[in-house]
Amino acid sequence: MKARIISIVLLLGLLFSGCTISRETRYLIVNVEGLEEYSKTLQDYLAGYEMGITTDTIYAEVAKGNAVACFDVQAIPAINQGVANYWYPHALSTVVIAVDRTQTDAVITGWKSLLDSKEIVGISSNSIIRDMLVMGSISYGLDPISPSKDDVLNLLKELENNDRFMLEDSKSPILLCLDHEVVAWNKAGSNYEIIVPKEGTLSFQVGLLSDIPLTIDEGFDDALLAAELPLANGSYPKQYPEGYQSAHKLSDEDYKWFLNVTDDCSRDLRRKVFKSRLYTTADLREHILFAIGIIAAILLWKGTVYHRMIRPNVSKVVSILCWLMVGWIMLRLFKYQLVTENELSRLCWYGYYIFQLALPVTLLYLTEIMDQAEDGSHSLNFMYIPFTIYILSVLLVLTNDWHQLVFIFDPNGNWAKDYSYGIGYWFIMIFFVLIFILAIIKLFCKGRRSNYVKAKVLLLLLCGLLFLYIIGYIYRVPLAWESDITIFICVIAVIFFETVLHTGLIPVNIQYQRLFANAPIGLSLLDDKGNMVLSSKGTPPISRSIWKRLCIDMDKPLLRDNDTQLHAISIHGGIAVWQENLAVLNRIRKEIKEVQIRLETANALLKEEEEVKKRLLQAETNRKLFEHLERDMESRINALVELVDGQSQIKQANESIALIILCLCHIKRRCNLFFLACQGNKLLGEELSVYLDELIELASYDGLKVLIRCGQSGFIGINNATICYDFAFETITWALKDTASVLMGYLENDDGCLMFRFLPGSDPNKWYFSDELIAGISKANGNIVYKDLDDAIGICLVLPLGGEIDG
Amino acid sequence: MNLLIDHLEDCSTPNYFSFAIRCEVCGEFWYSNSIPFSKAGQVTDYVDKKELYDVLYQKEKQRAQLAAAKEAREHFSQCPICRRLVCDSCFLICDEMDMCKECATRMKEAGEPVIP
């Protein structure tokens, strides 16, 4: 915005300044060497005009309303083109050969005879128009019918090949100059012979060119003759040799070939005759065109760099470097436009150093910020030193006119070329070369990981070339001195930076667009207005509503659709958006959900199956249990059935009933013991005692007196308890059957064995214990022992304690 | 309007109110303009004030929801055939009757989308 306002103000300034040409004083301008005497004479006869110094081209001066003293070759084409309106020819100048007879006796008769002479031939003037006049005259002399540039250049080239041709040299023994100049030199004491070339030469009219009519006072012709200038009408002053007359004067048709022959004479003399400036610009037109081309190239390059740079601050510094180069070239271009070498052009020359010295400092700054954070948190304090040196150096250069510490010259002489370097210049050079070297070292150190070895070598070569060039320029080596230092340094700088960018010493992304196009995360860059700048292939555009929402809250990702999540981050000048594909995640989530549902269903089924199995198992267990119980009780029940069936045969009903009840009790308790065995429980000695007491009580109904003492306290293994119970039951049963009246028993734990002793009132040897009981005792590693006790026989059940069964 | 309000998905945060509607044809979400909560970022230790803020939040959210629905009306249409809510990119202006892209394909109707 600011730039636009400044541009508008400048344009308005230019517009209004262009509309304000209103000046009363008019000037008589003379900018052609050799016409000083003419102008001096004219000054008294041209009322209302003051002698002025030109700051512009003669045509620009004419346009300003000034009168310009010039030759007809300058005036007539301008009149024909409508650049000026009035041409007043007054005097005549003929291009002649002046031979200094104090230096040489060479016989010179014409242009070709110059080749035969051994003397140096020079053109005394340093203005282009004078070179044109000489070249035109020679070409006419060599071929009056169809003059050509090649003829002149060949002649001069041949002279130059023998080192016998000099430009801007008034000390040569043979000079190509104007006739009235020679007369003036001779009048001043020199001894020049005027040779009018025998092949022919040209006489040029000298006069005034103006846009407005001029009034020349009477007596001007006489004044010219008095000033030893020949008149345009062919009258010559008496100082001229006798019989001296003007040569061929150009007609309207001649100007065309003259201009063709003399066009670009400065460039042709430099390149074709002196073989200099072969690789650099040789004349003003080339200077301007080349400078504009280089400026365009630099700006174009700046544009490409801007797009390739990743970091905005680095990009800005490179932009500054570009503008420094452009500013330098522009200043140089401006200086080229200045016609005369005055204070302004000298200031321009000093001004080059504002840009030139800033380049290494900016490069150093660039290398410093390259690997540092962009937020400005890094310290750049030491950069004040080079900046201070830069400012002091520029001030020293700009004030050189006062102290001449940097450049030493004569302000009134040809300072543009004849100058030498002062101590200040060497100090400045040393400082800035050090800064440049430091920048290069830092650049290489920071980019040491780069693999572009060849490019690094190229960089070093470029640096070396730059140093050699500058040294060559300082010491005026022709190749460097005759080139354009501004253009050379700028071109080298651009190549240098481009190489630096390619080596990766300064981070850039050359394949930025390809990177974006191929980014697999659907990357998009949006500017601050939401417009898409770059995006990956196949990435759908970001809608306005999504962009707005992203701008409000970038930390929170949002869904573009159910399968795409967008993330954003703020970047310089916009936002970067990338998308995360949730399709796979969603699919996995869906699959997990489905699997979860399937698992839940399977679990329910399994649970149901388990219930069913449990019920089945329970039923089966019950069945097995009852089968086992049935099997276990079968013999007892059969015995009971037999007992009941045989009741009628039994005489004593009481006895039978007691037996039946005893059996029923036994079956009941065996069932208890069976279930306890199934549960794996143990039986307390006290409970067994209760069971035994029950049997005793039932046996007592039949009159049997039984006394059993249970000395076993605590738990007894269920198997041993069952055997003991069965043993007691069967013993009591036999006792009842034998109608014994008394039975005594004692259960005790004796020496690790369970001893169940009975002392029956009858002979137990007749008793037969059931097979099941015997098998049970054997299985428990026990036995039944009979003991004769003199008057009775005891029966004893021995069961070892411990072990698996008892345990 | 009620249809739009029903379809609005709440994407609000404690700091702003935002609502989204998903196009039932392309599946892309449209987001309403985010409206900041007037007391966003204001932290209070007082329970009463906190409750007041909560009430205010709900009130503003309701208003924001209405505004979002109004805004969505400019971007969504209901297909007269399938009755689905579709975005302007998926809603076609046809010769006889405007309809969604999928219905138009099914019925072989040609049309131009509201937003190409």
Side-chain angles (χ1 to χ4, degrees), chain B residues 38-113:
Chain B
S38 60
K39 303 290 175 195
Q42 293 187 18
V43 185
T44 178
D45 293 331
Y46 302 106
V47 180
D48 291 348
K49 211 169 180 181
K50 234 181 233 177
E51 283 173 359
L52 188 72
Y53 280 7
D54 287 345
V55 172
L56 200 64
Y57 182 85
Q58 291 306 329
K59 223 172 177 180
E60 286 187 22
K61 190 174 183 176
Q62 231 166 5
R63 276 205 296 271
Q65 193 182 24
L66 270 175
K70 272 184 194 170
E71 199 186 338
R73 205 158 52 178
E74 304 297 319
H75 302 280
F76 281 85
S77 309
Q78 191 180 24
C79 175
I81 296 166
C82 62
R83 315 298 296 170
R84 288 186 300 176
L85 207 56
V86 293
C87 69
D88 283 348
S89 303
C90 300
F91 194 70
L92 302 187
I93 301 166
C94 304
D95 291 338
E96 292 177 359
M97 185 195 279
D98 303 340
M99 63 187 83
C100 76
K101 217 185 260 182
E102 285 182 356
C103 289
T105 312
R106 203 169 50 244
M107 296 172 73
K108 292 175 182 167
E109 283 283 328
E112 286 294 315

Side-chain angles (χ1 to χ4, degrees), chain A residues 545-546 548-549 552-553 556 558-562, chain B residues 11 13 16 18 22 27-31 33-34:
Chain A
S545 73
I546 289 177
K548 280 185 187 170
R549 159 63 188 76
I552 291 287
D553 186 4
K556 195 180 169 195
L558 86 167
L559 289 172
R560 178 203 281 280
D561 52 54
N562 282 341
Chain B
C11 305
T13 68
Y16 61 86
S18 175
R22 188 173 163 272
E28 187 157 321
F29 282 97
W30 168 88
Y31 290 88
N33 278 331
S34 303

Side-chain angles (χ1 to χ4, degrees), chain A residues 512-573:
Chain A
Y512 209 53
Q513 292 185 336
R514 275 183 61 191
L515 170 76
F516 258 82
N518 297 307
I521 52 169
L523 196 58
S524 306
L525 271 192
L526 286 91
D527 64 13
D528 52 4
K529 291 182 177 63
N531 302 316
M532 186 82 82
V533 180
L534 283 170
S535 76
S536 305
K537 276 178 196 162
T539 308
I542 305 290
S543 70
R544 198 92 191 141
S545 73
I546 289 177
W547 172 72
K548 280 185 187 170
R549 159 63 188 76
L550 284 171
C551 289
I552 291 287
D553 186 4
M554 285 190 204
D555 296 333
K556 195 180 169 195
L558 86 167
L559 289 172
R560 178 203 281 280
D561 52 54
N562 282 341
D563 287 339
T564 315
Q565 186 166 260
L566 298 177
H567 301 261
I569 190 166
S570 179
I571 57 167
H572 186 76

Side-chain angles (χ1 to χ4, degrees), chain A residues 524-768:
Chain A
S524 306
L525 271 192
L526 286 91
D527 64 13
D528 52 4
K529 291 182 177 63
N531 302 316
M532 186 82 82
V533 180
L534 283 170
S535 76
S536 305
K537 276 178 196 162
T539 308
I542 305 290
S543 70
R544 198 92 191 141
S545 73
I546 289 177
W547 172 72
K548 280 185 187 170
R549 159 63 188 76
L550 284 171
C551 289
I552 291 287
D553 186 4
M554 285 190 204
D555 296 333
K556 195 180 169 195
L558 86 167
L559 289 172
R560 178 203 281 280
D561 52 54
N562 282 341
D563 287 339
T564 315
Q565 186 166 260
L566 298 177
H567 301 261
I569 190 166
S570 179
I571 57 167
H572 186 76
I575 57 170
V577 182
W578 69 97
Q579 56 185 34
E580 189 184 349
N581 190 359
L582 301 179
V584 178
L585 207 64
N586 284 341
R587 187 168 50 78
I588 291 170
R589 210 176 275 167
K590 196 178 164 191
E591 281 173 9
I592 288 171
K593 207 171 179 182
E594 283 171 7
V595 167
Q596 197 178 349
I597 290 168
R598 279 208 297 273
L599 279 174
E600 279 172 3
T601 313
N603 273 345
L605 273 172
L606 284 172
K607 202 172 177 184
E608 203 176 321
E609 189 187 357
E610 190 193 355
E611 288 291 323
V612 169
K613 277 184 178 171
K614 204 172 170 183
R615 283 201 298 273
L616 277 172
L617 192 67
Q618 199 174 5
E620 181 68 14
T621 309
N622 283 343
R623 190 183 60 77
K624 280 181 182 171
L625 192 69
F626 280 101
E627 273 178 11
H628 191 190
L629 184 64
E630 205 173 326
R631 265 199 317 273
D632 200 48
M633 296 301 148
E634 193 177 8
S635 58
R636 287 178 239 291
I637 289 167
N638 287 342
L640 181 66
V641 169
E642 279 174 17
L643 204 62
V644 171
D645 288 345
Q647 190 188 357
S648 55
Q649 298 167 0
I650 298 168
K651 293 172 185 174
Q652 293 180 344
N654 284 346
E655 183 190 341
S656 302
I657 290 164
L659 276 171
I660 289 166
I661 293 166
L662 204 64
C663 279
L664 283 170
C665 179
H666 177 240
I667 288 167
K668 184 186 82 177
R669 288 300 172 200
R670 274 303 305 249
C671 283
N672 280 355
L673 290 169
F674 175 80
F675 289 121
L676 282 172
C678 285
Q679 287 170 13
N681 288 345
K682 290 182 177 179
L683 189 71
L684 274 170
E686 289 77 4
E687 196 172 347
L688 180 62
S689 176
V690 171
Y691 288 4
L692 294 174
D693 287 346
E694 198 177 32
L695 289 175
I696 292 164
E697 191 182 350
L698 292 172
S700 68
Y701 291 139
D702 198 19
L704 180 65
K705 290 180 181 171
V706 182
L707 179 65
I708 298 173
R709 188 171 152 263
C710 186
Q712 171 66 33
S713 60
F715 285 103
I716 310 171
I718 197 73
N719 202 35
N720 286 348
T722 306
I723 291 169
C724 288
Y725 183 71
D726 284 349
F727 180 65
F729 166 73
E730 288 193 19
T731 304
I732 291 169
T733 305
W734 279 111
L736 279 173
K737 282 177 183 173
D738 283 355
T739 60
S741 57
V742 179
L743 179 68
M744 288 193 294
Y746 182 53
L747 177 65
E748 64 172 346
N749 187 344
D750 184 19
D751 199 19
C753 289
L754 198 62
M755 310 285 279
F756 200 176
R757 295 187 187 92
F758 275 104
L759 187 64
S762 58
D763 183 7
N765 286 320
K766 298 175 195 169
W767 297 353
Y768 298 103

Side-chain angles (χ1 to χ4, degrees), chain A residues 124-184:
Chain A
S124 60
S125 163
N126 56 9
S127 69
I128 294 169
I129 184 66
R130 290 289 300 274
D131 296 341
M132 287 169 72
L133 298 183
V134 171
M135 280 182 71
S137 301
I138 296 173
S139 69
Y140 175 79
L142 294 175
D143 189 353
I145 296 164
S146 59
S148 89
K149 185 188 274 188
D150 290 342
D151 293 342
V152 191
L153 293 176
N154 288 337
L155 179 89
L156 297 177
K157 210 189 293 176
E158 205 165 328
L159 286 172
E160 165 58 20
N161 287 345
N162 299 319
D163 292 330
R164 288 179 43 232
F165 182 58
M166 304 281 279
L167 276 178
E168 303 174 22
D169 180 35
S170 56
K171 301 280 191 290
S172 301
I174 301 170
L175 291 173
L176 308 180
C177 54
L178 300 175
D179 52 0
H180 56 84
E181 281 180 320
V182 185
V183 172

